[in-house]
């Protein structure tokens, strides 16, 4: 699915595996179902297991990754036309 140049979303196996890039927001995300989520944007980088049950994140300007528990985030989806 490509809504604009540089903005696209690919999905496989009924949204079981998704990859999305939004150039205007400088954001990318990859999800392997609820098992693994990797998101990168200017404000933060995040790797989550179990849809946010446990994971690592890094804020801008920080060198170290911080461990987190129970930070559940919704999958981003492009609005339907």
């Amino acid at each position: 699915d490509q809504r604009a140049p540089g903005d696209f979303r690919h999905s496989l196996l009924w949204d079981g595996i998704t990859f999305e890039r939004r150039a205007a927001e400088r954001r990318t995300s990859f999800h392997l179902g609820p098992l693994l989520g990797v998101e990168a944007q200017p404000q933060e980088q995040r790797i989550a297991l179990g849809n946010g049950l446990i994971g690592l994140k890094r804020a801008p300007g920080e060198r170290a990754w911080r461990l987190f528990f129970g930070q559940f985030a919704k999958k981003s989806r492009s609005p339907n036309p």
Side-chain angles (χ1 to χ4, degrees), residues 3-55:
R3 306 252 173 193
D7 290 357
F8 63 83
R9 182 176 186 271
H10 297 288
S11 69
L12 200 64
L13 298 173
W14 302 278
D15 285 345
I17 301 170
T18 60
F19 177 73
E20 180 176 13
R21 181 183 308 166
R22 294 187 180 197
E25 299 171 13
R26 296 179 33 207
R27 177 179 162 198
T28 60
S29 65
F30 170 80
H31 294 277
L32 181 60
L35 301 176
L36 173 69
V38 179
E39 299 178 8
Q41 53 190 332
Q43 301 91 336
E44 160 181 281
Q45 293 175 336
R46 171 185 159 114
I47 300 170
L49 298 173
N51 202 24
L53 184 62
I54 187 170

